[in-house]
Amino acid sequence: MTATRGQANVVGVALLLGIGVVAIGLLTASVGGLVDAQIATADADAAADGFSSLRDGVAAGANDSYPIRVTDGDLSRVNRSVRIIPEAGANRTYDADGYVADLGGQRVAFVGGAVVRGTGDRAVLVTPVPLSFAGDAAFLTVPVLTADATDGGGLGGGAALRTRTTRTVTDLPTDGYAVAVETATPDAWERAFEDRGFETSRADFDGDGTESVVAVVSGDRTLTVARYDLAVVVDRG
């Protein structure tokens, strides 16, 4: 074997080893990314289930604890309003606020009386809209976070949301009504309202850059508003 041929063999082996190392690294990164994505998806499933249970419990006026069984994530309180806009009479504005769970790039929110999963035009409501009608009556559920409700924090390690709820029911007279829900996911709310037979539009009432989806109740109806003042504490396991 000549010196040149020997050097070529050494270089070839080194190249093959280098290619193998790179390939293993890429495979490891790919598998790791897939595992992280699967964990984030499972966490989003758990958060959506927990928020949905909380929503149902609030509507029932229950004081209870609702597990958010995620491996890791952050809960934050967001400033949101719900408005009732009659054709006659004064508007009513509820500083409802809400919660957003950020879970490894996945987003789940409990805002305006519904649970929303995802962002942008891919977001979807996983619970019904809080507005309904039957005959000559319409009904609206408005959860309102109290001043002492938690501002959020970490969700890992078996966190649960413990609630204390106070309900106030107001019967509004026959009128033409629209309801506006301030949201970072207007596409999802529009689709959900329209699927329930409401005409929709958008407006930024307070100029903060977060739009409200306005759902119009067709015809003149009474409106029963069930407001739930909701105190929330995060219990961490």
Side-chain angles (χ1 to χ4, degrees):
M1 178 184 298
T2 66
T4 301
R5 182 178 297 175
Q7 291 174 350
N9 288 339
V10 171
V11 171
V13 170
L15 286 172
L16 288 174
L17 289 174
I19 291 170
V21 169
V22 170
I24 291 171
L26 291 173
L27 178 60
T28 301
S30 177
V31 171
L34 178 61
V35 170
D36 289 344
Q38 290 174 336
I39 291 173
T41 298
D43 283 348
D45 290 340
D49 288 344
F51 278 158
S52 296
S53 296
L54 184 152
R55 171 195 173 276
D56 294 343
V58 168
N63 297 323
D64 209 337
S65 184
Y66 304 95
I68 308 291
R69 304 183 189 283
V70 301
T71 58
D72 195 13
D74 292 305
L75 182 74
S76 58
R77 180 169 177 165
V78 291
N79 296 323
R80 298 288 185 265
S81 297
V82 175
R83 292 173 170 84
I84 298 173
I85 307 167
E87 290 182 359
N91 294 356
R92 293 170 178 256
T93 300
Y94 300 87
D95 296 324
D97 289 358
Y99 287 121
V100 173
D102 184 4
L103 308 148
Q106 300 265 3
R107 181 184 187 275
V108 182
F110 172 60
V111 173
V115 179
V116 186
R117 179 170 177 171
T119 59
D121 60 4
R122 300 182 65 181
V124 295
L125 265 70
V126 297
T127 59
V129 294
L131 179 63
S132 61
F133 61 88
D136 59 358
F139 308 90
L140 176 66
T141 299
V142 186
V144 177
L145 297 184
T146 61
D148 58 348
T150 182
D151 288 332
L155 286 176
L161 304 182
R162 178 163 46 87
T163 64
R164 187 176 68 253
T165 306
T166 303
R167 182 175 65 180
T168 304
V169 177
T170 304
D171 292 316
L172 300 180
T174 300
D175 201 347
Y177 288 101
V179 173
V181 178
E182 188 177 23
T183 173
T185 53
D187 291 326
W189 278 89
E190 280 180 335
R191 288 192 298 269
F193 272 130
E194 290 167 1
D195 286 346
R196 293 295 178 118
F198 297 100
E199 293 186 2
T200 65
S201 60
R202 297 188 192 185
D204 184 357
F205 290 97
D206 53 14
D208 66 353
T210 301
E211 292 182 310
S212 292
V213 174
V214 183
V216 178
V217 180
S218 62
D220 288 346
R221 305 172 192 267
T222 60
L223 178 62
T224 298
V225 182
R227 168 179 174 156
Y228 296 87
D229 291 299
L230 182 62
V232 181
V233 175
V234 180
D235 290 331
R236 295 178 175 85

